Amino acid sequence: MHLPPHPILSETSIFLQAERISVQYGETRALKDVSLQIPTNRVTVLIGPSGCGKSTTLRCINALVKLSSGVITYGDESIQNMNETELRRAMGYAIQSVGLMPHLSVEENVDLVPRLLGWERSGRAERVKRLLNLVRLNPEVYRNKYPHELSGGEAQRVGVARALGADPPVLLMDEPFGAVDPLTREQLQDEFIHIQRQLKKTVIFVTHDIDEAIRLADYLVIMREGEVVQADTPANILASPKDEFVERFLGPDRSLKRLSLFTADHCCIQKVPSGLEEPTKSVLPEDSTSCYWQVDAMGHPIKGFMWVNGRLVSRVVNSASHTVQTYSSLRECMATILSLGLPAAAVVDDEGRLFGEVRFETIQTISIS
Ligand SMILES: Nc1ncnc2c1ncn2[C@@H]1O[C@H](COP(=O)(O)OP(=O)(O)O)[C@@H](O)[C@H]1O
Ligand SMILES: [Mg+2]
């Protein structure tokens, strides 16, 4: 039996497919005839209340749980017929909410799977370095640390680096950012998006946090009591929730949530008035509605200027908290705009240099369209 393909699959292929899978734990029917298609090189997010079967679905895909009925096919083959080596090659190694080895250093943790797979030692040290840089941990600082010396957020980053260690074709992530504070969580999400843009992996990501799901998902699967209620792009689900359960699950602020679907680079204006000096009337005419960004010698924005009722008003830009990246969500841009009181947020590149700006008026058009 083949399911009709989902529209998101018109841009890519099916990585794997679950057809009417059920799982029974004693009396509990953890999954009831779940059918799912996982798109290749996209992020699929499984979400739903606790106990709805998210982790069980991941464990089925990883063949850690036996199906009571149904099949999961990878390529043309049912994974139930594949031997462990074949399956490992196909699925890679999954991470289940971090679980770093406490007696191994950061380097040894990240190197764990490549070492188990018997990769050449020479290339591995270089690879660990690259992976740590990718998750923005300085290898010189972190390589020899042990898990108990890391903050929650740092441990999660090492967990992501380790999951990427052997370059698996699919990443299974079960609430990977569950145990950290909201700010760290948002940073980890930013980094996840940043990494995913470079690597374009097939990812199956489990969460119970709807904001996280909407931000990260290309394909969002909403589950309830062992069943799939709605599966679609976040934009389509936000625009037309299938029933009252989904509507309640999305919460009352659906239009704000929509802003988290778009990133700064969608509407970033690149040619903005800027310079090393404070602005003169010739660079920022009094009737101008745009911002002027003063930058330092490195190109980092240090102040934003605008005209308000014939007065030139400026705000000091603190690089860490008052700027956004190209991959920041419009929701974050909105928060930055509100916190600085300027009509735009400065967008900076990886080195913190001014890249452009996102304007309030642009966000406004998007949120009502
Ligand atoms: N090993 C197990 N033995 C018995 N029941 C289980 C086991 N694992 C999960 N369950 C039950 O199966 C259902 C789905 O669990 P799970 O997939 O872990 O949910 P979620 O990850 O969405 O919170 C729950 O009712 C849970 O109590
Ligand atoms: Mg779970």
Side-chain angles (χ1 to χ4, degrees), residues 64-239:
L64 292 169
V65 162
K66 217 172 132 42
L67 303 181
S68 313
S69 62
V71 283
I72 296 179
T73 44
Y74 172 74
D76 285 328
E77 229 190 313
S78 158
I79 65 167
Q80 277 73 34
N81 299 333
M82 294 164 80
N83 69 35
E84 197 171 325
T85 328
E86 284 176 322
L87 189 67
R88 281 285 133 79
R89 207 174 296 138
M91 299 297 138
Y93 289 75
I95 49 161
Q96 312 281 341
S97 34
V98 193
L100 296 177
M101 302 283 190
H103 58 289
L104 297 181
S105 69
V106 165
E107 171 155 33
E108 289 163 336
N109 264 291
V110 176
D111 189 40
L112 196 64
V113 180
R115 185 163 59 85
L116 287 175
L117 292 176
W119 290 13
E120 283 287 334
R121 183 183 210 91
S122 53
R124 275 170 23 214
E126 202 44 46
R127 179 155 180 84
V128 168
K129 226 161 117 183
R130 248 204 351 257
L131 287 166
L132 287 177
N133 279 323
L134 189 68
V135 295
R136 287 173 212 249
L137 292 174
N138 181 346
E140 294 317 310
V141 177
Y142 287 93
R143 212 173 47 192
N144 297 317
K145 284 190 190 260
Y146 282 84
H148 73 270
E149 298 171 294
L150 304 173
S151 73
E154 289 163 351
Q156 303 286 352
R157 283 168 213 219
V158 176
V160 172
R162 187 180 68 179
L164 292 167
D167 198 21
V170 59
L171 269 187
L172 307 179
M173 304 173 89
D174 196 344
E175 311 222 11
F177 310 147
V180 296
D181 61 272
L183 195 67
T184 309
R185 193 178 178 115
E186 224 166 86
Q187 283 168 357
L188 287 168
Q189 292 166 1
D190 276 350
E191 272 153 36
F192 177 82
I193 293 169
H194 187 66
I195 292 170
Q196 177 61 6
R197 282 192 181 179
Q198 298 175 53
L199 302 184
K200 296 233 181 332
K201 287 268 173 203
T202 304
V203 180
I204 311 176
F205 189 108
V206 164
T207 182
H208 61 261
D209 177 338
I210 185 68
D211 294 308
E212 180 164 279
I214 289 170
R215 272 199 81 190
L216 303 185
D218 297 308
Y219 189 49
L220 183 59
V221 178
I222 299 185
M223 297 181 68
R224 180 194 192 184
E225 293 172 12
E227 291 177 293
V228 170
V229 186
Q230 190 170 11
D232 209 327
T233 58
N236 286 347
I237 291 182
L238 282 169

Side-chain angles (χ1 to χ4, degrees), residues 23-31 46-59 65 174-175 206-208 223 225-226:
V23 170
Q24 189 93 22
Y25 292 119
E27 296 288 281
T28 314
R29 280 189 79 193
L31 294 181
L46 308 181
I47 187 164
S50 177
C52 70
K54 305 180 292 293
S55 298
T56 303
T57 306
L58 275 199
R59 284 191 217 115
V65 162
D174 196 344
E175 311 222 11
V206 164
T207 182
H208 61 261
M223 297 181 68
E225 293 172 12

Side-chain angles (χ1 to χ4, degrees), residues 136 194 198 325-327 348-353:
R136 287 173 212 249
H194 187 66
Q198 298 175 53
Q325 314 267 144
T326 50
Y327 52 84
V348 296
D349 65 15
D350 281 351
E351 270 78 50
R353 293 175 304 222

